[in-house]
Amino acid sequence: MQALNLPACHPDVSREDGKSFIFDPLRRKKVALTPEEWVRQHFVNYLVTEKSYPAALLANEVTIALERLSRRCDTVVYSPCLEPLAIVEYKAPSVRVTQQVFEQIARYNLSLRVKCLMVTNGLEHYCCRIDYKKPDYAYLKEIPAYEALGRL
């Protein structure tokens, strides 16, 4: 798999019947190793090891109801009270992060109303803080540490 703009990570990768799998510690199971999943595992590792996000307060593939349809957020970050704080959207490294990607995650946020939206393709990482009082948003210079996320 492609090298990413993230700290070194050594996920558990295996092959079965000619297919590659990667162990997802949050879901506690092996999942198909796709370029997007490669990014997810590296970014979650970054959040936990570099930004002090508690692994127990992260969830992958969270199902939400959106306009009578079922959708899945790639990762949701929760507060200690289990209130959603952030949504993370992953793309393969070959996929450019565009306005359409932010529109997708913003639609998911209609259901969750989180403080931050994060998007990464493993090479570029973006974080947008939402201010519901104004209403307005602002891009942050870096991914916030977990402790700072609650204060945004």
Side-chain angles (χ1 to χ4, degrees), residues 4 10 24 30 71 94 107 111:
L4 304 175
H10 305 288
D24 181 348
K30 291 181 184 180
R71 296 284 184 245
S94 61
R107 282 190 301 275
S111 177

Side-chain angles (χ1 to χ4, degrees), residues 124-140:
E124 299 177 300
H125 323 293
Y126 299 94
C127 184
C128 180
R129 178 185 49 82
I130 309 296
D131 184 342
Y132 294 99
K133 292 177 184 172
K134 289 191 179 178
D136 197 11
Y137 64 92
Y139 287 94
L140 304 178

Side-chain angles (χ1 to χ4, degrees), residues 52-89:
S52 301
Y53 284 57
L57 296 177
L58 300 172
N60 286 337
E61 295 293 324
V62 176
T63 302
I64 60 169
L66 185 62
E67 298 174 2
R68 292 187 235 150
L69 298 173
S70 179
R71 296 284 184 245
R72 285 192 300 207
C73 297
D74 287 343
T75 299
V76 176
V77 179
Y78 293 94
S79 74
C81 299
L82 300 182
E83 297 169 349
L85 293 176
I87 303 171
V88 186
E89 178 67 24

Side-chain angles (χ1 to χ4, degrees), residues 18-29:
K19 296 178 184 175
S20 295
F21 294 89
I22 189 167
F23 183 75
D24 181 348
L26 299 183
R27 290 179 275 182
R28 295 182 181 95
K29 66 178 184 177

Side-chain angles (χ1 to χ4, degrees), residues 103-146:
E103 289 171 5
Q104 174 188 359
I105 197 171
R107 282 190 301 275
Y108 294 167
N109 196 37
L110 293 173
S111 177
L112 295 180
R113 293 186 54 87
V114 298
K115 294 181 177 198
C116 282
L117 303 176
M118 299 180 206
V119 177
T120 182
N121 64 4
L123 305 173
E124 299 177 300
H125 323 293
Y126 299 94
C127 184
C128 180
R129 178 185 49 82
I130 309 296
D131 184 342
Y132 294 99
K133 292 177 184 172
K134 289 191 179 178
D136 197 11
Y137 64 92
Y139 287 94
L140 304 178
K141 291 182 181 182
E142 64 181 11
I143 305 298
Y146 183 77

Side-chain angles (χ1 to χ4, degrees), residues 34-47:
T34 63
E36 183 178 304
E37 193 63 41
W38 183 251
V39 171
R40 180 198 324 262
Q41 295 308 318
H42 280 75
F43 197 77
V44 166
N45 178 71
Y46 164 70
L47 292 176

